[in-house]
Amino acid sequence: MHTLSDFPITHKWPALHPERLQLYSLPTPNGVKVSILLEEIGLPYEAHLVSFATNDQTSPEFLSLNPNNKIPAILDPHGPGGKPLALFESGAILIYLAEKTGKLLSADPATRYETLQWLMFQMGGIGPMFGQLGFFHKFAGKDFEDKRPRDRYAAESSRLLAVLDQRLSGRAWVMGDDYSIADIAIFPWVRNLIGFYGAAEIVGFDKYTHVARVLEAFVARPAVQSGLLIPKAAA
Ligand SMILES: N[C@@H](CCC(=O)N[C@@H](CS)C(=O)NCC(=O)O)C(=O)O
């Protein structure tokens, strides 16, 4: 596939600016990781709203790019070798865009692996565990009589916050002085946990003062403020 129109996803979400990176997303904790990164690095892009209300994520066009029916996904017209590159999984997208632009991921090998380690801590731990807690604490699972699943995910989420809190003690960001893709992966989820999910009390968030401090600094960044609202809801 050599041009964007060869990708079926562009038939449902036409590219008005085919020379720009195409983002297919929704402002959820996984979706905003990519819009925040794009706002931070200043790479021109075009955002398309994938609406869950109309099950856009299970449309044949979306599935042609991501068979796992989940946002975010991207299509970069200028991928490796100058060819278009389609990519899903927010962690893979963050790494790709950081390496493409040389921003927010250190080129020093040891620091790079350490950053990826914390990115994977979010992908394998924070994302899945906080997400399950959201289901059992706020969504359909909250009405289940058996509270053991909720308590299990609350305890695991609290444990992960304790690990993060310890890491942030004496550090401005996850990687110290340098803000990185690890912060962009982690903090939208922390914000969602205590904001939208309303789970601060059940995870004992008061104890995690370093996490709270860094969350505040993260949310204050102009690129985060913009990225949290992208893609905009349909009018
Ligand atoms: N591991 C994936 C998870 C993506 C994910 O769970 N996305 C959710 C929104 S936060 C989604 O698209 N859900 C739609 C569905 O499951 O139908 C990533 O990080 O990209």
Side-chain angles (χ1 to χ4, degrees):
M1 303 208 207
H2 296 300
T3 65
L4 288 197
S5 56
D6 292 335
F7 290 81
I9 196 162
T10 64
H11 304 164
K12 186 171 171 72
W13 289 279
L16 295 180
H17 303 281
E19 74 288 358
R20 296 185 192 166
L21 184 137
Q22 305 290 304
L23 169 67
Y24 308 94
S25 191
L26 191 68
T28 70
N30 287 317
V32 298
K33 291 178 202 169
V34 179
S35 44
I36 289 170
L37 176 70
L38 286 163
E39 292 292 311
E40 293 279 6
I41 62 185
L43 194 70
Y45 68 102
E46 183 174 347
H48 303 280
L49 185 80
V50 179
S51 171
F52 292 170
T54 47
N55 280 322
D56 284 352
Q57 75 277 24
T58 58
S59 64
E61 294 89 347
F62 188 81
L63 293 174
S64 70
L65 198 157
N66 183 359
N68 193 34
N69 64 266
K70 292 193 187 291
I71 60 94
I74 62 165
L75 185 50
D76 183 358
H78 311 292
K83 296 191 186 126
L85 179 78
L87 212 53
F88 64 88
E89 279 297 328
S90 59
I93 297 170
L94 294 188
I95 297 168
Y96 170 66
L97 292 175
E99 290 188 334
K100 177 184 168 87
T101 57
K103 292 180 179 166
L104 301 176
L105 177 60
S106 173
D108 169 70
T111 310
R112 178 176 178 278
Y113 285 121
E114 196 179 335
T115 311
L116 295 181
Q117 160 190 281
W118 287 102
L119 174 70
M120 297 304 159
F121 170 79
Q122 185 282 309
M123 294 299 295
I126 284 187
M129 295 303 128
F130 288 14
Q132 291 299 327
L133 180 56
F135 175 81
F136 287 104
H137 179 66
K138 180 178 168 99
F139 300 113
K142 78 176 187 315
D143 300 322
F144 294 1
E145 209 172 305
D146 186 348
K147 297 300 175 201
R148 284 174 297 180
R150 183 203 64 184
D151 292 347
R152 173 182 164 81
Y153 291 117
E156 182 59 3
S157 298
S158 185
R159 191 191 66 78
L160 289 164
L161 285 167
V163 173
L164 181 61
D165 202 62
Q166 190 183 27
R167 170 71 186 183
L168 292 170
S169 169
R171 288 185 173 89
W173 301 105
V174 170
M175 291 306 297
D177 289 340
D178 294 329
Y179 175 72
S180 73
I181 56 172
D183 303 291
I184 295 177
I186 290 171
F187 285 99
W189 272 103
V190 177
R191 173 179 175 271
N192 201 63
L193 182 77
I194 63 164
F196 187 50
Y197 290 171
E201 198 173 327
I202 197 171
V203 298
F205 193 72
D206 285 0
K207 297 194 289 279
Y208 305 124
T209 52
H210 299 295
V211 177
R213 162 181 55 82
V214 181
L215 173 64
E216 200 180 319
F218 178 76
V219 172
R221 294 179 72 91
V224 173
Q225 290 287 321
S226 322
L228 285 171
L229 303 173
I230 295 172
K232 288 194 185 2

